[in-house]
Amino acid sequence: IRTTLFRLESKLTAYPYQKEFSLSQYASDPYVNMDISTLTISGSEYHQSYNVDSNIDWGVYSSNTSWLTAAKSSDGKMLTIHALANTDSYSRTGYIYLQKKANSSTLHQIKITQNVASMTIDNNESLLQYTNDGGSYQLQIASDADWNASTQGDWIEVNPDAGKNGNTTVTISTTPNYTESKRYGNVY
């Protein structure tokens, strides 16, 4: 609540009227409104902005996670959430808190759950077979996160051996085998 005093008085000396007034105004309830309070996102990198309706100066705080950040726009009307790709082997949860700047009390909380980044390969076979002359085989990879590949054996080549999230064509090549023994190798 806020209160002030003011005086109304005549400036005419022939009319010495004066009256004092007290004016009070009740405080509003502080609020921060958003359309979301829970969010489940894929394992890929995430970057999204959301509208914020508020009648106070608010700040943003993210829980102690290195993968989740949030930022308030300069006009205070937007919140941008950013999550790194989840390359862990389990889903993870973090929180974003919108707080009153005056005393850091939380007015809105967003729970964010991020699934594990997925990778799919267009071939369900786990064994590729080549003739003794060698050859190459192409795979289509769709990934939610950056990836890399390594091989076992100097006679196997993977090109490219790393990629960004999205779709990538990967070629797995082998050199000719001039020995009398079959050889086996792995691509990871």
Side-chain angles (χ1 to χ4, degrees), residues 38-185:
T38 60
L39 186 61
T40 301
I41 58 177
S42 72
S44 61
E45 186 170 356
Y46 182 83
H47 190 84
Q48 184 68 40
S49 295
Y50 296 92
N51 292 324
V52 177
D53 179 34
S54 179
N55 67 347
I56 60 160
D57 188 18
W58 56 275
V60 61
Y61 168 75
S62 59
S63 59
N64 292 330
T65 57
S66 59
W67 60 272
L68 180 63
T69 58
K72 173 185 169 182
S73 64
S74 59
D75 64 3
K77 295 183 179 181
M78 298 289 285
L79 173 71
T80 301
I81 298 173
H82 184 256
L84 298 175
N86 184 3
T87 57
D88 295 334
S89 57
Y90 52 88
S91 65
R92 57 191 180 186
T93 300
Y95 294 87
I96 303 283
Y97 303 100
L98 279 59
Q99 301 174 328
K100 272 174 58 174
K101 275 207 166 174
N103 63 10
S104 297
S105 62
T106 298
L107 296 174
H108 189 77
Q109 172 183 299
I110 305 167
K111 177 183 178 183
I112 299 173
T113 302
Q114 186 178 36
N115 295 321
V116 176
S118 66
M119 177 183 272
T120 57
I121 300 174
D122 72 347
N123 182 352
N124 290 332
E125 295 179 45
S126 59
L127 176 63
L128 302 178
Q129 296 187 23
Y130 297 85
T131 66
N132 65 318
D133 293 330
S136 63
Y137 190 84
Q138 288 190 332
L139 300 173
Q140 299 297 318
I141 295 177
S143 178
D144 285 341
D146 296 352
W147 58 270
N148 59 19
S150 61
T151 64
Q152 183 186 55
D154 59 355
W155 53 275
I156 304 170
E157 181 183 339
V158 179
N159 188 19
D161 62 356
K164 299 280 185 194
N165 66 329
N167 297 321
T168 307
T169 300
V170 175
T171 302
I172 300 175
S173 303
T174 61
T175 61
N177 183 3
Y178 297 117
T179 70
E180 294 181 11
S181 300
K182 207 174 201 184
R183 59 186 174 185
Y184 298 90

